[in-house]
Amino acid sequence: MQTLNRWERAIERWEKSLLAKVVRSEPVELLGALKRECDSHAVVCGPTRVVVPNVYDVELADAVHEELTRRGCQVGQELTDHLVRHAEDKGYEWAGPLTVHVSRSGRVPNGRYRVAGRPMAHIRADTFADAPA
């Protein structure tokens, strides 16, 4: 098992270095932060079921947002696509429909980005019990 883990880490390092050569390091760091946020909030619900949050808020510093959009990339769509592939690789199940909100902010702590994930609040079925038909 440890050998497989080492191989997985080696492949992830290779992927990160390749992406860093193709694009600047900012998107790679942002993708890594998004994946870490997903992994750190994973909840094991059974032997074959791991549920992760389905709503992610990504706040980008103005300069980072301008740089990414200037390159012509659809930031929200790119992040969503990468997160979907990450979840498929890990065998995760979303807590609901996946949503990645990207916004600009001048108040991110590291001056570049902030990522937060949470499960979307669901409406409880019993709230409709008293509703008129």
Side-chain angles (χ1 to χ4, degrees), residues 25-109:
S25 64
E26 198 71 52
V28 175
E29 290 178 22
L30 182 55
L31 290 173
L34 194 58
K35 289 176 183 180
R36 280 189 305 278
E37 184 70 16
C38 179
D39 292 343
S40 68
H41 290 90
V43 176
V44 178
C45 297
T48 59
R49 187 170 184 223
V50 179
V51 178
V52 292
N54 61 313
V55 177
Y56 293 85
D57 297 310
V58 178
E59 294 178 63
L60 299 174
D62 291 334
V64 173
H65 189 275
E66 288 174 18
E67 174 67 22
L68 292 175
T69 54
R70 184 175 53 83
R71 293 184 202 166
C73 96
Q74 299 290 339
V75 180
Q77 188 62 50
E78 290 287 327
L79 294 175
T80 302
D81 292 345
H82 282 284
L83 198 55
V84 165
R85 283 195 296 274
H86 176 69
E88 287 173 356
D89 291 344
K90 297 285 188 171
Y92 292 157
E93 181 180 322
W94 302 110
L98 177 61
T99 307
V100 178
H101 299 283
V102 178
S103 61
R104 296 173 85 147
S105 175
R107 303 169 78 195
V108 291

